[in-house]
Amino acid sequence: MLRLIRDHPSRSVVATIIILTMFTLRPLPSSILLVALVVLLRITTQWIIPRPYAIGRLIIVWLAVSTGCYISFAIAGSTTVTSKFPTVLYSSIYSLLGLIPVVLSAITRRAGFEFPLIWATGWWLISRFSPIGRLGAWSPLAGDDLYEWMRPFVGEYGIDWAIGGWVEVCSCFAVWYLMGARPQDDRDHEFEEEQSSPLSLPRVPTIWSQDHVNLLIIALLVLAIPSAFVSPLPTALHGEDVRDVGVACVLPPPSNDSFAFTSFKRETRTVAGQAHIVLWPEGAVGFDSAEDRRDKLEEMRLDANVSGIYIGISFTEPELDSNRSYTGKRRNGIAIVSSDGVILEYYKRNFIPSIDSIPQVGGQAPPSTVLIQLGTVSKPRSRWNMTLSTMIGPDFAHPFTNLDTRPTLILGPARTWQLHAGRVMIEMARRRADELGTTVLWCDDGEAGLSGLVGQGHSGVQVGYGSWVKRMSVEVPLNEARTPYGCMGEWGGFLAACLPIFITKFSLARFLDCIDVTMARIRNWFNRRRRNRNPRPNFVDI
């Protein structure tokens, strides 16, 4: 193997990138494999940039990553569309986006605490402007337990920063100890002369400071300590300050669309005696007109009034223009119905290209919250409050911080197109729940869809159809305080990531300069005192 690498170094690197990408950029990326892939790309680009034909070599690296990404999704069965072009395009775009922070760091020779900042900030900006949010981002969806506690404070920015930090640490040790390069002095900004490593590969130019790397290791280890004290379990159902709430997902067996409303209505009545809140999956029923919508929602209002429950009805309806004429497109929304009628309405804002085949128009209003009361009406003292919010399917791939209060429960109707997509989307829902300090009721009636309560320690899921009821605890009195992430979003993580750079680059340097000046003055003071105590003899008077 070593002889093969020595004889064909470039081909070996390209083959390794393809294989590692194939196992890393799966629907559920692993943190360890992701770090290994980015380390390889970090070292490769660092070697490519200062040498001839850098652009051509970078294109080869990009094609290798794109090939591995496409193979990974093809194996996972994600190429569900008739044409494979969308998958090729998706693989190429997100491979390019993943390489941009790495190449930018190599060109600007950023190292130490700066690379995690560039890595996390790059994916923050990509997720903000991408039509599919964090779907496809080079972020771990498995194996990030050590830093999960940071999510309510800095969101996914903190997880990406930790990944970037370990990439930097592993890159340094790989260059120093495996490839025979020495640590770079902080004041030396010139590339070393090209030499031969133990594998007869050109030596990678070292840009890393050992002091900064040591500080980065300490920071990463310190940030992992709180995970040992954070409980991964949900709050107990019974206690003085909690109330037991039943939530249900209605998933009747597949039926003809003309009978869908009847099936969901019948299943809702079945679980009404065990649940306070009932949710229908995405697009459970289709309204044909405004009159059809009004009549069906009124039927469910009467059921909610009889049972004393709240029903989240997910639907599709025709879009009407200003003249009340049908435009040929449909809207995908959800209405929370109580005995008082519709108390909250929300329309799906984000769609996945090439998957949502029916022409749809997205909603404009962001998610909001509504306050509800549960308990026995005849006993006012036994009643308690909780807040509800809702999003639909792909909306959970987009982090949001525009809620004015912390929701107790977020209703998440979904319809995924295959098992791997369902696993990714329920993980996205869990991350949004942890960021906001809440719980998501996820109800997916897609092919082999996953459904369950996620967030705040809840993890049990069901595969496929079949209505179910679960219990969750609600704090009394209601805690409406938003998490730090809910208040600041990724800006809190960005400022925290900039702080060590400021300390090491500016404050520490000035502090060391002050120490040098102070020590010089102290030495001068001692020298003057020594001269005063032992004056030189006056040879003129002798």
Side-chain angles (χ1 to χ4, degrees):
M1 179 63 71
L2 293 179
R3 182 177 180 180
L4 178 64
I5 296 175
R6 183 172 58 250
D7 294 341
H8 306 282
S10 300
R11 296 178 182 178
S12 301
V13 170
V14 171
T16 304
I17 291 175
I18 293 176
I19 295 173
L20 196 54
T21 303
M22 184 175 63
F23 287 101
T24 302
L25 299 184
R26 300 176 298 171
L28 294 175
S30 166
S31 58
I32 296 177
L33 290 177
L34 183 60
V35 169
L37 173 61
V38 183
V39 166
L40 178 59
L41 295 176
R42 179 99 167 97
I43 296 175
T44 302
T45 55
Q46 193 66 51
W47 178 83
I48 288 176
I49 291 300
R51 288 170 171 78
Y53 309 108
I55 295 179
R57 291 174 174 177
L58 289 176
I59 291 176
I60 293 175
V61 171
W62 169 54
L63 292 176
V65 176
S66 301
T67 301
C69 184
Y70 176 80
I71 295 174
S72 174
F73 279 89
I75 294 175
S78 298
T79 55
T80 59
V81 291
T82 54
S83 173
K84 295 183 180 180
F85 175 75
T87 306
V88 174
L89 183 63
Y90 170 85
S91 302
S92 302
I93 292 176
Y94 268 83
S95 298
L96 179 62
L97 294 176
L99 284 172
I100 287 177
V102 180
V103 174
L104 180 63
S105 300
I107 293 175
T108 59
R109 297 177 54 75
R110 300 297 92 187
F113 285 94
E114 296 172 348
F115 178 76
L117 173 67
I118 294 174
W119 180 259
T121 304
W123 284 113
W124 169 30
L125 297 177
I126 291 171
S127 64
R128 284 296 180 184
F129 295 102
S130 169
I132 58 176
R134 294 197 66 88
L135 290 177
W138 291 24
S139 298
L141 292 180
D144 58 350
D145 299 346
L146 288 178
Y147 302 102
E148 274 192 337
W149 68 270
M150 295 195 298
R151 201 164 274 124
F153 299 92
V154 293
E156 289 298 309
Y157 192 99
I159 308 299
D160 290 336
W161 187 92
I163 292 296
W166 283 116
V167 166
E168 191 71 355
V169 169
C170 295
S171 299
C172 296
F173 280 94
V175 169
W176 294 344
Y177 299 108
L178 299 181
M179 305 187 71
R182 65 174 179 83
Q184 182 83 341
D185 187 85
D186 285 344
R187 292 164 295 180
D188 183 12
H189 296 289
E190 299 296 329
F191 284 105
E192 297 180 358
E193 293 296 328
E194 186 173 312
Q195 302 179 22
S196 296
S197 71
L199 298 178
S200 297
L201 291 172
R203 178 174 292 180
V204 176
T206 54
I207 61 171
W208 292 283
S209 162
Q210 190 161 6
D211 292 339
H212 289 179
V213 173
N214 292 338
L215 289 175
L216 185 56
I217 294 175
I218 294 173
L220 290 169
L221 294 178
V222 169
L223 289 175
I225 292 176
S227 62
F229 305 97
V230 177
S231 173
L233 301 176
T235 307
L237 291 178
H238 304 287
E240 295 182 359
D241 299 328
V242 296
R243 295 292 185 271
D244 179 10
V245 176
V247 295
C249 172
V250 175
L251 292 171
S255 62
N256 189 286
D257 290 343
S258 59
F259 300 102
F261 179 76
T262 304
S263 299
F264 281 99
K265 181 179 179 181
R266 182 173 57 251
E267 289 285 323
T268 300
R269 291 176 176 175
T270 302
V271 301
Q274 309 171 58
H276 300 88
I277 301 168
V278 178
L279 177 62
W280 296 6
E282 180 182 353
V285 295
F287 299 140
D288 298 326
S289 61
E291 294 75 14
D292 183 39
R293 167 196 165 101
R294 183 177 60 251
D295 294 340
K296 290 179 178 178
L297 291 182
E298 176 62 20
E299 286 187 46
M300 298 314 302
R301 186 195 70 80
L302 295 176
D303 281 12
N305 185 45
V306 172
S307 305
I309 62 175
Y310 294 84
I311 309 173
I313 301 175
S314 184
F315 59 87
T316 61
E317 65 178 7
E319 183 200 26
L320 302 179
D321 58 19
S322 57
N323 298 323
R324 308 297 295 175
S325 300
Y326 181 45
T327 63
K329 297 182 178 180
R330 297 184 70 84
R331 298 195 299 174
N332 193 327
I334 179 175
I336 300 180
V337 179
S338 70
S339 58
D340 298 325
V342 176
I343 60 174
L344 181 65
E345 197 168 6
Y346 171 79
Y347 288 94
K348 183 177 179 180
R349 304 174 68 193
N350 301 283
F351 302 92
I352 298 179
S354 78
I355 298 299
D356 295 303
S357 57
I358 300 176
Q360 298 188 45
V361 58
Q364 300 298 324
S368 58
T369 59
V370 62
L371 183 68
I372 66 172
Q373 275 196 333
L374 299 176
T376 306
V377 178
S378 60
K379 298 179 180 179
R381 292 186 179 181
S382 67
R383 293 176 66 80
W384 68 92
N385 297 331
M386 63 183 295
T387 51
L388 297 180
S389 184
T390 183
M391 292 194 297
I392 301 176
D395 293 337
F396 284 90
H398 298 258
F400 65 99
T401 57
N402 52 6
L403 295 177
D404 55 0
T405 184
R406 178 195 299 205
T408 312
L409 179 68
I410 298 179
L411 306 184
R415 175 174 290 174
T416 54
W417 57 98
Q418 55 114 246
L419 178 60
H420 291 292
R423 294 176 63 192
V424 171
M425 289 311 305
I426 199 171
E427 276 298 319
M428 291 290 173
R430 186 175 70 85
R431 277 154 169 72
R432 302 296 84 78
D434 290 341
E435 289 169 356
L436 301 178
T438 184
T439 306
V440 172
L441 173 56
W442 186 258
C443 191
D444 182 358
D445 74 338
E447 181 181 351
L450 304 180
S451 303
L453 276 175
V454 293
Q456 300 299 292
H458 296 278
S459 58
V461 297
Q462 172 183 295
V463 182
Y465 66 84
S467 301
W468 52 262
V469 179
K470 293 185 181 294
R471 319 300 296 183
M472 62 173 286
S473 58
V474 175
E475 294 183 14
V476 178
L478 180 64
N479 180 14
E480 296 184 299
R482 293 184 294 172
T483 61
Y485 176 82
C487 297
M488 300 181 61
E490 284 83 358
W491 284 105
F494 176 76
L495 295 176
C498 291
L499 183 61
I501 298 177
F502 174 78
I503 293 175
T504 56
K505 288 288 186 181
F506 301 100
S507 299
L508 183 60
R510 294 178 182 177
F511 178 70
L512 293 177
D513 289 342
C514 291
I515 291 180
D516 290 340
V517 172
T518 303
M519 294 302 296
R521 290 178 178 176
I522 292 175
R523 286 195 297 270
N524 292 335
W525 183 78
F526 275 106
N527 291 335
R528 287 197 301 269
R529 285 183 59 84
R530 190 180 299 111
R531 287 196 297 269
N532 293 335
R533 289 180 180 179
N534 301 304
R536 295 181 179 181
N538 192 345
F539 293 100
V540 176
D541 298 334
I542 295 178

